[in-house]
Amino acid sequence: MGSAGAHAQTAPKAEMGAMTGHDHVPAAPSTSLTLTIDGKATTLSVAELQAMPQKTVTVHNEHAKADETYTGVLLGDVLAKYGFPVDKTTQRKMLRSYLVAEGTDKYWVLYSVTEVEGSEHDGNVIVATSMNGKPLGADGQLKLVDSGDRKPQRWVRNLNAITVKSADN
């Protein structure tokens, strides 16, 4: 492995070490979501996301040691509405695609598209706009939450971008 590969392996550890005690890098609050599918970007407002059918999930936040109830739109519904419907014609594409969800603090996580599609996975991945019936506050106006994860390490506070990519490219 070349030096570039070694650098790529060590960079995340340094960032993770800086977040001891679950401190979070100060970040600008998220106010919209840019969704990119097949190279086409669409910017969605909080109001547009709230106008879609809503899902409420109750999860245990291991970091906060508390149960939390989030409401928002299912990520699979957002993908379907804006260019990635799941049906027989897109089955193979779905199995070979992944998405990167990123917050304003540049924290990002990876999901296979199968993990966010309700017909394929038991957990609910939502773009949350409220927690316990109130705005998200310090977490911005948008937060990615996965009811299937035991720890919130793939939840993204201040969510501002989701990009769908194919492993075939």
Side-chain angles (χ1 to χ4, degrees), residues 35-146:
L35 176 66
T36 305
I37 301 174
D38 293 329
K40 181 184 174 205
T42 304
T43 300
L44 304 169
S45 68
V46 174
E48 287 172 302
L49 292 164
Q50 289 172 327
M52 295 180 69
Q54 300 290 292
K55 175 78 175 177
T56 298
V57 297
T58 299
V59 293
H60 182 75
N61 183 335
E62 184 61 30
H63 293 164
K65 304 288 186 211
D67 289 342
E68 299 170 340
T69 300
Y70 290 93
T71 300
V73 62
L74 288 166
L75 182 52
D77 290 352
V78 175
L79 297 180
K81 182 172 181 174
Y82 292 97
F84 201 131
V86 175
D87 57 31
K88 289 181 182 180
T89 64
T90 60
Q91 181 74 20
R92 175 172 267 179
K93 181 180 178 181
M94 178 188 64
L95 292 172
R96 296 178 178 181
S97 296
Y98 60 96
L99 63 88
V100 176
E102 185 174 350
T104 59
D105 61 357
K106 303 302 178 195
Y107 179 80
W108 61 272
V109 297
L110 186 72
Y111 283 86
S112 73
V113 171
T114 306
E115 290 178 286
V116 302
E117 173 48 44
S119 66
E120 306 291 325
H121 191 265
D122 287 336
N124 292 300
V125 180
I126 66 169
V127 177
T129 56
S130 69
M131 181 180 80
N132 300 328
K134 298 176 183 168
L136 296 171
D139 286 349
Q141 294 184 38
L142 301 169
K143 183 175 183 176
L144 191 71
V145 176
D146 183 351

Side-chain angles (χ1 to χ4, degrees), residues 145-162:
V145 176
D146 183 351
S147 69
D149 285 351
R150 292 180 188 214
K151 295 180 182 177
Q153 55 203 9
R154 290 196 306 168
W155 301 1
V156 180
R157 65 182 66 229
N158 292 302
L159 178 69
N160 72 334
I162 295 176

